[in-house]
Each structure stands twice: as C-alpha cells, then as structure tokens.
Amino acid sequence: MTSKSPHRARGHRSPARVAVIGLVVAVPVAVAAAIWLTGRHQSPQYGTGLFGAQGAAAVTLKARLGTALFALALVQLLLGVWMYGRLPGLTPGRRRVRASHRAVGWLAFLLSVPIAYHCVRTYGVETASTRVLLHSAAGCVLYGAFVAKVLVVRSRRLPGWMLPATGSVLFGAIGVLWYSAALWALNGFTVPGL
C-alpha cells in the first residue's frame, strides 16, 4: 500500500491552483462585462474625433489603425509560435524572440486603446445588427483576454494549455474586430457573412 492520496494519483488539483484558475477566469470576465456595461450606458457622441479626424475620416483612420493592430497580432502569433518551438525548421526562440514578443504585444495593446476609446465614446456598445453586435462583443472580449493573458503569463500554478488558449482568444478577438469593422470599412462597408 502506498502513502499517496488517491486524489493526488488521479491529478487532483490543489485548492490554491483551483483558486488561481478561478481568478484567471473571473477577472477577465469582469473586465469584459464592465466594458460592455459602460458601453451600453454610454450616450453616443458622434462628433468624437480620433487624432483630429472627424466623421468618415475618423472611421477610415480607425480602420487603418485596426489593420495595423491585426498585422501586429499576426506578428505576435508568429513570435509566440516560434518562441515555443512550433515553427517547422526553427529551434525555439531565445531571449530576443521573447523580448520581441513582449514588445509587440504591448505595442498592439497601446495601439488598441485609442481605437477602443473612440468606439466606446462615439458609439457605445450597440446591438443594432449582427455585425455591430459581434464587433461590440469582440471588443469587450479583447480586453478581458488581454487581462487573462497577463495573469496567465505571471502565474506558475496554471496548466500549460492556458497560455496558448488565452493567446488564441486574444488573437481571435482582434481578428473578429478587424473583420467586422476595419475590413468592412475599407471594403466599401461590406464583408462576406455580415
């Protein structure tokens, strides 16, 4: 007879690990919900400018910034895949790749802030059409996923799958935002499926 607990033998999680996982889920959901509720109670200010651009010019500028954000997200994805040795023919990325991944991530976050501010300030969170609802929800998810990724990166108590999962949600949110707004605006206010 062994002295190991049967729960430990089956991979039972410690209460501390379960609490950390709960925190990594609850905090990002709270962030996304807070943004949603703030946006739903925001009175639209259609005259809000973005770096001096107003109206249609602001929409075009935001679409271009959103496209740059999506490009940074693609670079971030490639750096992350390289960092963990998942690019065929390349060894796992060293210190420079990790530093680049972090820098590109923060640059993408900083680029997203004026775009998000303009969206929430100008329109709030809207549900008038499928495209707008999808865009509003993805915007809220983006910041919740960003918070989740930062928490996961900082914790050593979480399962290894949580980092790629949160990174995937973050990348997916940026992709949906780009498709539902930036591409839509730059493509004559139309995209397939929306």
Side-chain angles (χ1 to χ4, degrees), residues 15 18 21 36 41 51 53 56 58-60 73-74 93 104 128 131-132 135 141 145 147 163-164 173 192:
V18 171
I21 291 170
W36 179 272
H41 292 94
F51 299 118
V59 171
T60 300
L74 287 170
V104 169
R131 182 193 67 79
V132 173
H135 185 74
V141 168
V147 168
L163 185 57

Side-chain angles (χ1 to χ4, degrees), residues 144-177:
F146 179 80
V147 168
K149 188 164 186 252
V150 169
L151 290 173
V152 169
V153 165
R154 300 283 178 227
S155 177
R156 301 285 183 236
R157 294 179 166 237
L158 297 170
W161 60 265
M162 286 191 80
L163 185 57
T166 56
S168 296
V169 171
L170 186 55
F171 179 78
I174 293 170
V176 169
L177 286 165

Side-chain angles (χ1 to χ4, degrees), residues 47-103:
T48 303
L50 179 63
F51 299 118
Q54 301 283 331
V59 171
T60 300
L61 175 58
K62 196 163 44 168
R64 289 180 179 153
L65 292 173
T67 299
L69 175 62
F70 186 56
L72 287 173
L74 287 170
V75 170
Q76 182 78 346
L77 176 65
L78 287 173
L79 288 169
V81 171
W82 183 8
M83 192 166 49
Y84 287 99
R86 301 289 190 226
L87 282 179
L90 293 176
T91 59
R94 301 282 186 239
R95 177 180 278 164
R96 190 178 306 162
V97 174
R98 292 178 191 281
S100 298
H101 180 77
R102 189 174 298 118

Side-chain angles (χ1 to χ4, degrees), residues 8 11 130 137 189:
R8 292 260 182 227
T130 301
F189 305 103

